[in-house]
Structures are given as structure tokens and as C-alpha cells.
């Protein structure tokens, strides 16, 4: 941008300073002069100036409002006959405006009263918002979130990863802990998607079963591998709804369980030995390392041995898969990272005013994350389907 000489008449100064929103008015005057200067640069001539360098003609003005932290400004944007003039002033403020609208929506989502929203927005922007405006903004957030969470799932999803996290919700004048059930999937083309979100009173078989039924009603199919922790209700629901799928017990959660049963002085050694089992390249190697683990810690960490014995088969369910798929499917870490981002927002809110507010807020976050995931493939699935076809042929011959 070129350097501009901005002027303010001596007579205008007292009038500006007498007004309650003096600073906003001053900025409005300055920005309007910037717009005039930008138009002069664009046309190559002053107003009414006739010269060979002129590259167009003016065509009046168009008023546009710009909400800023010093109030709502009215800018007179010059127009040209051919519509070729544009300004970067509004573009520079766009992020601030979007941040403000998002902030307002989050206040609504968080259960902040309309009175408080009005007071906060007046302090930030010098602009008040009526209850009907707040309601429209809430509706504007509700509809796309509901559309995202209820969309059809027409693709096949060979891999799904499911997990839950608990949040506080106000119900009947009391605060209770509720489970947010979340499922993500990896499609046959290798792209990740967030499949769905539900809220329940607990992480039970009934809530997980209902959640999976809803996903299947929306079209979820083609599931070969389901990854989750060892929650009994979740495991039972997976077995019922995805009969032919392999269940992979999350190795991250197995490690946590192991360490919970390990004496402090042996935790470092148990961690290293268990990790060797997790990263085994084949069944034979995994069994050898498992035997070494059991012999080594039978006396010093017997409870860890019992824990690992119960988890061994399920935590290595994906071992037959090609290595690059095992690496990412051996844990539910993809889902855990998603939960961490939800938790970061949820900690600010602390307590949702109702179930709908929790679904609205978390659903909006998941929708944004889903858009990011769809920008880049997670897997090249060619090798997986080649392996699957070979395995099916081998199993048929064996039968």
C-alpha cells in the first residue's frame, strides 16, 4: 500500500471529542480517507481530474458497516463504473469479525444468559445484540451440526476407532457426569472421517449398542477392524453389531493397565519389555517376547503378568495385517488426540447447561476436525485390499 497523507480539519476535532464514541468516529474518518486514497491509486487520478493516466471513472459510494472493538463504523466505499475497485480493509478485519461471531456463538453454547451476552458484546464492539439475534446465531450453529452428525455414511469403513469421554452437564438443577460417545472411521479410499457423536448417562452396553445401531442406520458398513479400550459394555456392543469384525484392544490402554498393577521400581522395565511385545513383527516373535516378560517379572511384578496374560490375544489382533496398518491401528491414539482437543475446549466451559449444548459444542468441533481430515489421505489402502483378497483365497482353500 502506498503512503497516504491523512487530514483532519481543526473544526472537526472538537465535534469528535464531544461524542461518546470519539475514538471510533476518529477511526471512521481516517479509514474513509484511506478508501479515497486507494481509489485515487486505482484510477491514477484525483476526483474530476482529466489526464491520460486515468484508468476509469467513479460511480458514487456504497455504505458498509465494519464492527470493531471501538464500535460499529460506517465506511463509504467508492465505486467505479466497471466495478473493478476493491479494498483490503474489510479483508484485514475479517478474522476479527469471525472470531467475534464465534465467540458470541460459544457464549450461547456455554449457556451464558442473553443479558450477559449483550453486556459483553457491547463492551467488545459497542454493539448490542437482541435475544432474537442470539437465537438466530444459535440456530445457525444447530442446523449445520445436526446435518453433519446425521449425514449418510455411504462409503465402506474397513477400520473404525471408538472411545468415550465424560463431561459435566446440568440436569434438573444438579450436575451429573455424562458420556460423550465418539466414533471415527477410515474409509476404503484411505480418508478419515468422524462418524458420529452421542451422549448417554453412562458408558454401558445399552448406550454403545444404541449408538452403533444409529451409525448402521445411517449406512455404516464394511467394518473389518474395530479398535477400542477394554470397557465391557463397549466390547459387548462391538461384538453384537460388527459380528465379522476383528476387535483390537488398544495397546495404549493395555500399557496403562499394566503400569497400574506394577510396583514403582519396576515400571520403567515393564514399560520397555511390554513395548517390545507390542512392536513384534509376527506372532512367533510376539510369543517369544511374551514368554520372556512372564519369566522376568513373575516374582517382581506378578500382577502385571496376570494383566498381560488377560490382554495378550486381544492386543495383538491386528498382527496379521501389513505392518503400515498395524502401526496406526494398534492403539486408539487417533481418537485420544481428538478427545484432548475436545477436553481443551470443555475445560473452559466446565459445565454444559444441557445435553443439547454439549452436542452443539462438541459437534461443531468435530465437524471442523472432519474437514481437516478430508484434506489428506490417512492410508494408501491398496496393500490392505491385496492382503485381504489373498487371505480370503487362502481361507477358502483351507476350508
Amino acid at each position: 500500500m502506498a503512503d497516504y497523507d491523512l487530514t483532519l480539519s481543526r473544526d472537526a476535532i472538537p465535534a469528535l471529542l464531544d461524542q461518546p464514541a470519539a475514538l471510533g468516529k476518529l477511526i471512521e474518518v481516517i479509514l474513509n480517507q484511506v478508501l479515497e486514497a486507494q481509489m485515487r491509486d486505482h484510477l491514477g487520478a484525483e476526483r474530476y481530474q482529466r489526464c491520460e493516466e486515468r484508468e476509469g471513472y467513479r460511480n458514487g459510494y456504497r455504505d458498509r458497516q465494519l464492527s470493531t472493538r471501538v464500535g460499529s463504523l460506517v465506511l463509504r466505499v467508492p465505486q467505479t463504473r466497471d466495478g473493478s475497485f476493491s479494498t483490503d480493509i474489510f479483508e484485514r478485519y475479517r478474522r476479527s469479525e469471525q472470531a467475534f461471531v464465534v465467540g458470541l456463538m460459544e457464549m450461547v453454547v456455554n449457556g451464558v444468559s442473553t443479558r450477559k451476552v449483550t453486556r459483553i458484546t457491547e463492551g467488545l464492539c459497542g454493539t448490542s445484540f437482541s435475544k432474537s439475534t442470539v437465537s438466530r446465531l444459535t440456530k445457525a450453529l444447530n442446523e449445520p451440526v445436526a446435518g453433519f452428525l446425521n449425514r449418510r455414511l455411504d462409503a465402506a469403513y474397513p477400520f473404525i476407532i471408538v472411545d468415550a469421554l465424560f463431561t459435566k452437564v446440568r440436569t434438573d438443577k444438579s450436575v451429573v457426569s455424562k458420556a460423550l460417545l465418539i466414533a471415527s472411521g477410515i474409509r476404503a479410499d484411505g480418508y478419515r472421517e468422524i462418524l458420529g457423536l452421542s451422549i448417554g448417562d453412562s458408558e454401558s452396553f445399552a448406550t454403545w449398542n444404541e449408538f452403533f445401531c444409529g451409525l448402521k442406520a445411517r449406512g455404516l458398513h464394511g467394518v473389518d477392524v474395530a479398535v477400542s479400550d477394554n470397557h465391557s459394555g463397549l466390547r459387548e456392543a462391538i461384538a453384537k453389531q460388527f459380528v465379522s469384525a476383528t476387535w483390537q484392544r488398544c495397546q495404549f490402554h493395555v500399557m496403562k493397565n499394566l503400569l497400574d498393577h506394577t510396583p514403582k521400581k519396576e515400571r520403567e522395565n515393564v514399560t520397555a519389555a511390554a513395548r517390545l511385545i507390542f512392536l513384534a513383527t509376527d506372532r512367533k516373535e510376539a510369543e517369544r517376547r511374551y514368554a520372556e516378560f512372564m519369566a522376568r517379572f513373575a516374582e517382581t511384578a506378578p500382577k502385571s503378568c496376570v494383566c498381560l496374560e488377560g490382554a495378550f490375544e486381544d492386543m495383538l489382533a491386528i498382527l496379521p495385517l501389513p505392518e503400515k496398518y498395524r502401526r496406526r491401528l494398534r492403539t486408539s491414539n487417533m481418537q485420544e488426540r481428538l478427545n484432548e482437543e475436545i477436553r481443551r475446549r470443555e475445560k473452559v466451559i466446565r459445565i454444559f447447561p444441557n445435553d443439547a449444548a454439549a452436542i452443539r459444542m462438541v459437534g461443531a468441533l468435530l465437524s471442523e476436525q472432519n474437514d481437516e481430515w478430508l484434506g489428506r489421505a490417512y492410508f494408501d489402502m491398496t496393500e490392505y485390499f491385496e492382503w485381504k483378497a489373498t487371505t480370503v483365497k487362502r481361507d477358502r482353500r483351507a476350508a
Side-chain angles (χ1 to χ4, degrees), residues 322-377:
E323 191 274 336
K324 70 178 181 182
Y325 304 103
R326 297 198 305 264
R327 190 171 63 250
R328 286 181 169 176
L329 294 175
R330 65 187 186 86
T331 71
S332 59
N333 285 355
M334 183 182 83
Q335 202 73 7
E336 290 291 335
R337 286 192 290 271
L338 187 61
N339 289 349
E340 287 175 5
E341 182 61 23
I342 295 171
R343 189 67 76 191
R344 184 177 68 83
R345 305 282 187 92
E346 181 250 11
K347 281 182 179 179
V348 178
I349 300 165
R350 293 183 61 246
I351 300 172
F352 287 103
N354 48 56
D355 287 359
I359 292 293
R360 187 187 306 127
M361 181 69 181
V362 176
L365 177 61
L366 295 179
S367 177
E368 292 175 2
Q369 184 61 63
N370 192 69
D371 290 341
E372 290 187 22
W373 280 0
L374 292 176
R376 180 170 60 90

Side-chain angles (χ1 to χ4, degrees), residues 236-398:
E236 184 182 354
I238 290 174
K240 180 177 180 179
Q241 295 298 329
F242 307 105
V243 178
S244 60
T246 296
W247 175 60
Q248 166 65 28
R249 182 172 174 180
C250 172
Q251 292 179 2
F252 173 77
H253 286 90
V254 171
M255 181 70 83
K256 287 176 63 177
N257 292 340
L258 278 176
L259 296 181
D260 287 343
H261 293 87
T262 302
K264 187 174 182 180
K265 64 179 181 179
E266 286 285 20
R267 285 181 182 175
E268 185 175 344
N269 294 328
V270 165
T271 299
R275 186 170 286 119
L276 289 176
I277 302 173
F278 296 157
L279 300 179
T281 56
D282 55 42
R283 177 79 183 194
K284 185 177 180 180
E285 181 67 15
E287 289 178 346
R288 184 182 67 80
R289 294 176 179 181
Y290 168 74
E292 291 176 352
F293 182 100
M294 300 298 279
R296 179 178 178 183
F297 299 108
E299 298 295 331
T300 58
K303 291 183 179 180
S304 299
C305 293
V306 173
C307 182
L308 184 63
E309 183 179 13
F312 182 73
E313 292 295 335
D314 295 327
M315 76 182 193
L316 296 177
I318 46 85
L319 199 55
L321 271 64
E323 191 274 336
K324 70 178 181 182
Y325 304 103
R326 297 198 305 264
R327 190 171 63 250
R328 286 181 169 176
L329 294 175
R330 65 187 186 86
T331 71
S332 59
N333 285 355
M334 183 182 83
Q335 202 73 7
E336 290 291 335
R337 286 192 290 271
L338 187 61
N339 289 349
E340 287 175 5
E341 182 61 23
I342 295 171
R343 189 67 76 191
R344 184 177 68 83
R345 305 282 187 92
E346 181 250 11
K347 281 182 179 179
V348 178
I349 300 165
R350 293 183 61 246
I351 300 172
F352 287 103
N354 48 56
D355 287 359
I359 292 293
R360 187 187 306 127
M361 181 69 181
V362 176
L365 177 61
L366 295 179
S367 177
E368 292 175 2
Q369 184 61 63
N370 192 69
D371 290 341
E372 290 187 22
W373 280 0
L374 292 176
R376 180 170 60 90
Y378 192 65
F379 278 140
D380 178 351
M381 297 291 286
T382 305
E383 186 179 350
Y384 172 74
F385 285 112
E386 290 175 351
W387 168 85
K388 184 178 178 182
T390 302
T391 302
V392 170
K393 288 180 181 179
R394 186 173 62 245
D395 291 344
R396 287 175 178 172
R397 286 197 297 267

